Amino acid sequence: AGGLEPDLAALRQELSGPAALSVLIALVAVAVTFLIWRFVQGRRSSRKAVLLLGLCDAGKTLLFARLLSGRYRDTQTSITDSSATYRVSREKSTNVTLIDLPGHESLRLQFLERFKAAARAIVFVVDSVAFQREVKDVAEFLYQVLVDGTVLKNAPALLIACNKQDVTMAKSAKLIQQQLEKELNTLRVTRSAAPTTLDSSGGPAQLGKKGKDFDFSQLPMKVEFVECSARGSKGEDGDADLEGLEKWLVKVA
Amino acid sequence: LLTAPLPQERGGNNSFTHEALTLKYKLDNQFELVFVVGFQKILTLTYVDKLIDDVHKEFRDKYRNEFQQKGALGLLNGTFDFKDDFMRLLRDAEESSRVRAPTVMKTFEQSLKSQKTVKCMIETRGEKPKEKVKNKKNKGSKKEGTEVAAAPSKASGGDKQPSAAGEKEELTKDEILQKNREEFFRRHMKAGEKSRSPKPDAQKEKGKKPRVWDLGNSNAKVLDYSNSATNGSTEACPVEEFDPDMALGDKNREPGRLYDLEYESEDEAEEEKVVQNTSKPSAKKGGLGGMFGMLKGLVGSKSLTREDMDPVLEKMKDHLIAKNVAAEIAVQLCESVAKKLEGKVMGTFTTVTSTVKQALQEALVQILQPQRRVDMLRDVMDAQRHRRPYVVTFCGVNGVGKSTNLAKISFWLIENGFSVLIAACDTFRAGAVEQLRTHTRRLNALHPPESHGGRTMVQLYEKGYGKDAAGIAMEAISYGRCGARGAAVPHAAPPGPSWPFPVPPARNQGFDVVLVDTAGRMQDNAPLMTALAKLIAVNAPDLVLFVGEALVGNEAVDQLVKFNKALADHSMAQTPRLIDGIVLTKFDTIDDKVGAAISMTYITSKPIVFVGTGQTYCDLRSLNAKAVVAALMKA
């Protein structure tokens, strides 16, 4: 006990000197570095991803290939996601990460869960030729995407790309928009009337305004419709018809 | 291949048949590649597995840097000019399968029998033979032994035998001695035989191994008796690698727990120490290597091997079975997860257990995701637009809750403004019609016609007992289409505010939905299954719902398979109507043993449309995949 006291006294003497100041400065430096690091982390995890969603055989993987390499490739049904950085335009040096998700029913929701938080924009690819047959499935998937909590919170820009316009029987974007609005109108009522889930978590969020017919302008995010063709009108050797899509990507990035 | 087995976790065995082709595939989980070889089903090519492995190795080595560095862009932009390599590998594989000569039967000299018997036969007095012998075989081999034994002695004498057989020569003294020696030998052998026969019995007692009947925890090696004592060979029996401690049981096993037969006793206390476990064998070699292995596992450049995953998968399989998942399905699931994870590189700070658990969880969620849309209201509205009723048939075994859940579903439909016709096609069980009549009365009391614009929302169509169910169903459907006397009455008053859906202007007296209740039947009862199949084939309902209770365990698999088979066999159409959806009932009776949901969706790949959680009208829920999987994986 006697030995401790002189030590303490010596310590106190030391601290009161210039050493105290340097200790204080060191602490402040650490704190500032920490704050800067947190800030940078936050910025880096800001959403820079553009998701390609849609049903099976809508043309997402081919669109992905065309945007990145410009060439035509034979594709198979995706069973996992693919991502790559895409340089949006020659003038600006902004990059976005294009992520191509599988459209298979068992896989789509799982991959959406994984990537939805990082989404800055969503491209929903629709097969314009088979639309008439598949309108209910398209609407259901679109509904699931729109009603998702994270998507509603972040409100990423949404583009509905009506693909396969090179085929003569393809429906126009306007028609697709009208049909989707009608389907989503009925869907939001049937979905909210469905029996509640087992753990009775809150029911699905309401889409659009009550009382009025559903309209894409009622959504919190910007929605646009664009016609495109991943295969291109000249077949496999020619270029794809992706102008509208590319312009939109420039706007969004 | 890509749309069926791989996403649906059926990738356990690596071959898949489609029409006339068989596809064998191999997954590379490190670089996320799938290698597929297709050939005609009638051919049985033996070199396919080897070919796939060779192709896999070469392709991976050749294009390794493209995968690693450039990722998806590498895949897109790279040219994979592999055709020449592939043709070369194919040629090699074909040749190797041809070159292998047919196995020639071994000659007697080459066999073990001839070599070993000499040694065994020559015995001196006092020496105990070690082998376990059977007397008959002993004698047989002895005879040969004597010949063989005699042969060397004869051979040493040279070619005496032919000479003795040929001419009657005068035998020299040596020859006489030789002959006598042989005689003596022979007699000695026979004597030895007799004296030996009691000895082998005594020997048998000593050499007999204690039978281990303890089904739990016997090592699979101990139960494998196929190597010891091959027929006829009296070689020195190998000293059994028999560790009584190991065979008689793990000291720390849970008493009373019944393991599966193929359970290999592992250390129980290995849950969190799996990483160290893999480095244990390497630690035996050298401490440094073991430490690096462990560090490597932590940092994340370790790729998963089958041995790493096996203990974890065993545990997960038992856990699933404990949660009431059918046993075969748990096995297949674990196999598929193992195939998906083999060779995958683990991330930083992840243990094998957590990776496997994560993969299993994803697999379970994937299974529970519906393959087709689950929205009955939407389909009913569609049918409404086409002026025809939406027909739903309920089938299932006895006592699962068909009538109760039918009443719940009709209540739900009425709440949403649809009128329901209940067809009582259960003409067998006493009180079935009265039960439905009571439900109808109650539902009409809850939703009187006045609050729905003068329409009776629920009506019962019944024809008593003992009649043909398919006929009643057909009449009910046509009644539902045009109503009483087939009059189409335009709807007078505009719809009130309680009407959520846009209503078509002219509305006939028909009903929107027809719910057909059938009698419960066991899946093995062939005549009843035929009757059900006929009902469904003839009436072509929009939705065939199989009602199954959540309490069922392995039975679920059998029920669903047999029901589907019966429906497929007895329908005349090209594409037979099979079960379209499942209603899972009595869900409130199980706490978290929710495995039946997994079993049923795995077998049929059809969604669970409704879940029944009680006996009142409001106890109808829809399935929440994530909650079910969470309950399933919870320890």
Side-chain angles (χ1 to χ4, degrees):
Chain A
L4 270 175
E5 283 202 2
D7 287 340
L8 278 174
L11 201 64
R12 225 177 280 132
Q13 259 193 352
E14 280 221 23
L15 276 179
S16 57
L21 193 61
S22 44
V23 165
L24 205 62
I25 288 178
L27 281 173
V28 166
V30 166
V32 166
T33 322
F34 185 63
L35 282 172
I36 290 177
W37 178 71
R38 277 275 290 272
F39 179 65
V40 166
Q41 272 278 1
R43 280 233 28 211
R44 209 183 300 138
S45 69
S46 77
R47 307 139 341 163
K48 282 190 99 25
V50 176
L51 305 182
L52 288 176
L53 299 173
L55 293 186
C56 258
D57 287 339
K60 304 180 285 295
T61 310
L62 182 58
L63 210 59
F64 181 72
R66 281 287 203 185
L67 281 173
L68 287 176
S69 72
R71 282 179 295 174
Y72 176 85
R73 288 193 78 83
D74 281 323
T75 56
Q76 305 290 336
T77 316
S78 325
I79 49 178
T80 182
D81 61 299
S82 343
S83 63
T85 43
Y86 169 66
R87 195 192 187 76
V88 162
S89 71
R90 265 163 264 283
E91 302 88 39
K92 301 197 273 183
S93 63
T94 40
N95 292 340
V96 284
T97 319
L98 273 184
I99 306 185
D100 168 34
L101 303 180
H104 194 272
E105 295 87 7
S106 324
L107 303 172
R108 55 164 85 134
L109 287 177
Q110 191 184 332
F111 282 99
L112 181 62
E113 282 287 311
R114 224 185 279 177
F115 290 105
K116 62 185 179 182
R120 179 198 232 120
I122 296 182
V123 178
F124 195 90
V125 185
V126 173
D127 184 345
S128 318
V129 178
F131 182 71
Q132 230 18 56
R133 254 186 300 125
E134 293 178 345
V135 61
K136 287 200 210 100
D137 300 312
V138 172
E140 157 133 7
F141 189 22
L142 189 57
Y143 181 80
Q144 280 172 336
V145 172
L146 291 175
V147 146
D148 190 86
T150 322
V151 169
L152 280 179
K153 190 171 63 129
N154 293 340
L158 177 65
L159 174 76
I160 305 204
C162 309
N163 199 12
K164 306 201 186 174
Q165 291 290 328
D166 51 298
V167 181
T168 42
M169 295 296 292
K171 307 277 179 294
S172 70
K174 257 209 147 349
L175 185 66
I176 291 180
Q177 180 172 0
Q178 284 171 356
Q179 294 238 343
L180 276 179
E181 283 175 352
K182 247 195 297 179
E183 260 310 301
L184 285 169
N185 197 18
T186 43
L187 257 187
R188 63 181 177 163
V189 184
T190 58
R191 276 319 180 86
S192 51
T196 52
T197 54
L198 280 167
D199 57 352
S200 58
S201 53
Q206 178 67 330
L207 204 61
K209 300 201 183 37
K210 278 194 218 187
K212 292 211 290 189
D213 275 345
F214 177 76
D215 210 323
F216 276 111
S217 52
Q218 296 168 6
L219 290 171
M221 65 239 340
K222 279 195 303 171
V223 183
E224 280 187 33
F225 279 80
V226 128
E227 293 184 3
C228 66
S229 161
R231 179 179 284 210
S233 34
K234 301 180 204 87
E236 301 181 3
D237 299 324
D239 286 325
D241 227 347
L242 297 175
E243 281 185 50
L245 181 60
E246 287 171 346
K247 267 192 239 149
W248 182 84
L249 280 171
V250 172
K251 221 183 349 168
V252 152
Chain B
L1 175 66
L2 289 174
T3 55
L6 286 178
Q8 289 180 36
E9 299 305 317
R10 271 164 236 270
N13 55 340
N14 61 346
S15 85
F16 173 71
T17 43
H18 178 71
E19 291 167 19
L21 292 174
T22 306
L23 296 168
K24 276 207 166 148
Y25 60 91
K26 185 167 190 233
L27 301 172
D28 178 337
N29 293 312
Q30 197 183 3
F31 298 118
E32 300 194 327
L33 304 171
V34 183
F35 294 89
V36 184
V37 171
F39 50 94
Q40 290 194 330
K41 196 158 53 169
I42 45 179
L43 299 173
T44 47
L45 299 174
T46 48
Y47 57 79
V48 173
D49 290 320
K50 186 172 167 309
L51 176 66
I52 283 194
D53 287 333
D54 291 338
V55 167
H56 174 201
K57 266 195 249 346
E58 270 226 29
F59 192 84
R60 192 183 51 191
D61 295 331
K62 192 164 171 191
Y63 297 109
R64 182 183 281 270
N65 39 347
E66 274 177 350
F67 296 147
Q68 274 175 340
Q69 289 163 15
K70 305 198 211 138
L73 275 176
L75 281 174
L76 281 179
N77 295 330
T79 49
F80 297 97
D81 202 2
F82 199 67
K83 182 153 186 186
D84 303 325
D85 295 301
F86 175 71
M87 295 311 291
R88 176 177 45 92
L89 286 170
L90 182 63
R91 251 179 289 124
D92 290 339
E94 281 176 359
E95 278 170 24
S96 73
S97 75
R98 251 179 266 134
V99 151
R100 212 176 342 138
T103 48
V104 180
M105 267 178 49
K106 289 192 283 192
T107 61
F108 178 71
E109 284 83 34
Q110 291 173 346
S111 75
L112 292 169
K113 215 183 218 184
S114 66
Q115 288 167 3
K116 297 296 170 94
T117 46
V118 180
K119 251 190 286 175
C120 286
M121 287 312 111
I122 299 175
E123 67 158 28
T124 54
R125 282 254 169 83
E127 204 176 289
K128 283 187 283 192
K130 290 199 210 113
E131 69 274 22
K132 184 166 68 162
V133 293
K134 294 181 186 160
N135 280 339
K136 279 196 196 145
K137 293 280 158 64
N138 203 6
K139 274 191 199 144
S141 48
K142 282 280 173 43
K143 284 212 186 95
E144 296 166 52
T146 49
E147 281 185 23
V148 179
S153 55
K154 276 189 203 151
S156 56
D159 41 358
K160 287 269 170 51
Q161 175 124 44
S163 58
E167 316 168 46
K168 200 153 185 212
E169 251 184 74
E170 223 183 310
L171 299 166
T172 61
K173 248 191 190 167
D174 292 309
E175 291 166 29
I176 294 171
L177 258 176
Q178 196 77 301
K179 252 177 93 181
N180 286 341
R181 213 175 281 145
E182 287 164 41
E183 289 263 5
F184 181 79
F185 231 170
R186 227 172 285 139
R187 243 179 279 137
H188 182 75
M189 283 299 162
K190 288 218 178 77
E193 215 180 282
K194 279 191 211 127
S195 66
R196 259 223 272 158
S197 37
K199 268 206 207 130
D201 290 329
Q203 212 49 259
K204 222 177 190 173
E205 293 299 324
K206 275 196 201 164
K208 191 172 175 177
K209 301 173 296 306
R211 281 273 163 160
V212 180
W213 288 115
D214 192 7
L215 281 186
N217 278 328
S218 334
N219 202 348
K221 274 199 226 120
V222 175
L223 282 177
D224 182 13
Y225 288 104
S226 53
N227 301 350
S228 56
T230 48
N231 266 347
S233 119
T234 47
E235 65 196 83
C237 279
V239 175
E240 292 269 335
E241 291 101 59
F242 166 63
D243 189 358
D245 286 350
M246 204 164 58
L248 277 176
D250 226 354
K251 296 291 184 282
N252 44 351
R253 72 173 171 137
E254 293 167 23
R257 186 169 166 190
L258 191 70
Y259 294 99
D260 292 330
L261 256 182
E262 59 268 17
Y263 180 84
E264 293 180 18
S265 61
E266 306 284 350
D267 277 328
E268 289 293 324
E270 116 190 289
E271 216 157 327
E272 285 82 39
K273 304 199 179 81
V274 182
V275 175
Q276 272 87 337
N277 193 17
T278 52
S279 59
K280 256 192 211 141
S282 54
K284 284 189 197 134
K285 281 185 245 162
L288 204 61
M291 218 169 56
F292 275 149
M294 191 167 71
L295 288 176
K296 229 173 143 202
L298 280 180
V299 163
S301 59
K302 188 166 165 15
S303 64
L304 281 173
T305 60
R306 207 54 205 265
E307 295 82 37
D308 297 335
M309 292 194 288
D310 265 345
V312 185
L313 277 177
E314 275 291 324
K315 224 179 272 188
M316 289 272 90
K317 187 184 75 154
D318 291 336
H319 177 79
L320 284 178
I321 292 180
K323 293 270 179 171
N324 207 18
V325 179
E328 1 178 292
I329 290 175
V331 169
Q332 283 181 29
L333 255 179
C334 288
E335 266 303 310
S336 152
V337 169
K339 279 265 162 60
K340 259 201 182 165
L341 286 181
E342 215 167 312
K344 193 166 182 156
V345 175
M346 294 201 293
T348 53
F349 291 117
T350 51
T351 57
V352 180
T353 322
S354 62
T355 320
V356 171
K357 269 207 181 129
Q358 177 80 7
L360 193 63
Q361 203 157 2
E362 282 176 11
L364 288 170
V365 171
Q366 243 173 273
I367 289 178
L368 286 177
Q369 292 289 11
Q371 292 283 79
R372 42 170 237 111
R373 277 177 324 116
V374 176
D375 199 352
M376 199 158 126
L377 291 176
R378 187 76 193 77
D379 297 332
V380 173
M381 286 178 58
D382 244 3
Q384 217 178 30
R385 213 174 308 158
H386 295 146
R387 306 290 188 85
R388 60 171 179 82
Y390 188 77
V391 183
V392 183
T393 311
F394 292 81
C395 60
V397 302
N398 312 63
V400 291
K402 289 184 289 300
S403 308
T404 314
N405 282 283
L406 187 147
K408 285 190 224 167
I409 291 174
S410 46
F411 178 73
W412 172 63
L413 286 170
I414 295 170
E415 295 253 283
N416 285 308
F418 296 113
S419 55
V420 177
L421 177 70
I422 302 179
C425 295
D426 185 352
T427 51
F428 175 69
R429 199 191 79 199
V433 179
E434 277 74 19
Q435 180 182 16
L436 289 174
R437 194 172 290 138
T438 311
H439 277 305
T440 314
R441 235 180 293 133
R442 271 206 212 153
L443 289 170
N444 273 326
L446 284 172
H447 282 270
E450 295 78 45
S451 64
H452 286 274
R455 281 193 323 161
T456 39
M457 295 307 278
V458 190
Q459 215 173 317
L460 176 67
Y461 189 90
E462 54 95 1
K463 287 278 185 228
Y465 294 96
K467 307 284 183 358
D468 175 34
I472 298 181
M474 191 165 345
E475 290 169 29
I477 292 171
S478 60
Y479 181 81
R481 191 172 307 130
C482 20
R485 295 298 169 255
V489 176
H491 190 81
S498 68
W499 216 286
F501 302 118
V503 172
R507 204 149 189 192
N508 56 1
Q509 280 280 52
F511 292 86
D512 300 318
V513 188
V514 177
L515 299 177
V516 178
D517 185 27
T518 60
R521 59 205 75 209
M522 290 306 287
Q523 67 269 20
D524 297 325
N525 194 331
L528 290 183
M529 293 308 294
T530 319
L532 177 69
K534 183 181 121 186
L535 189 151
I536 288 177
V538 161
N539 292 306
D542 295 297
L543 197 65
V544 178
L545 287 180
F546 176 83
V547 184
E549 53 185 9
L551 300 159
V552 73
N554 291 331
E555 260 288 287
V557 173
D558 196 42
Q559 282 176 9
L560 278 167
V561 164
K562 293 231 175 84
F563 264 80
N564 265 334
K565 202 162 100 65
L567 290 182
D569 287 342
H570 298 291
S571 104
M572 299 295 141
Q574 280 282 64
T575 49
R577 292 301 310 276
L578 297 175
I579 291 173
D580 293 321
I582 298 170
V583 178
L584 197 62
T585 60
K586 307 188 189 168
F587 207 76
D588 51 327
T589 56
I590 52 178
D591 301 318
D592 55 349
K593 293 196 178 6
V594 296
I598 299 284
S599 317
M600 289 194 197
T601 38
Y602 190 89
I603 284 289
T604 52
S605 7
K606 292 291 187 321
I608 291 182
V609 184
F610 295 112
V611 178
T613 51
Q615 304 198 33
T616 70
Y617 289 131
C618 304
D619 290 323
L620 191 67
R621 300 263 179 276
S622 64
L623 188 77
N624 182 354
K626 288 204 198 79
V628 168
V629 172
L632 203 60
M633 299 294 289
K634 190 168 66 167

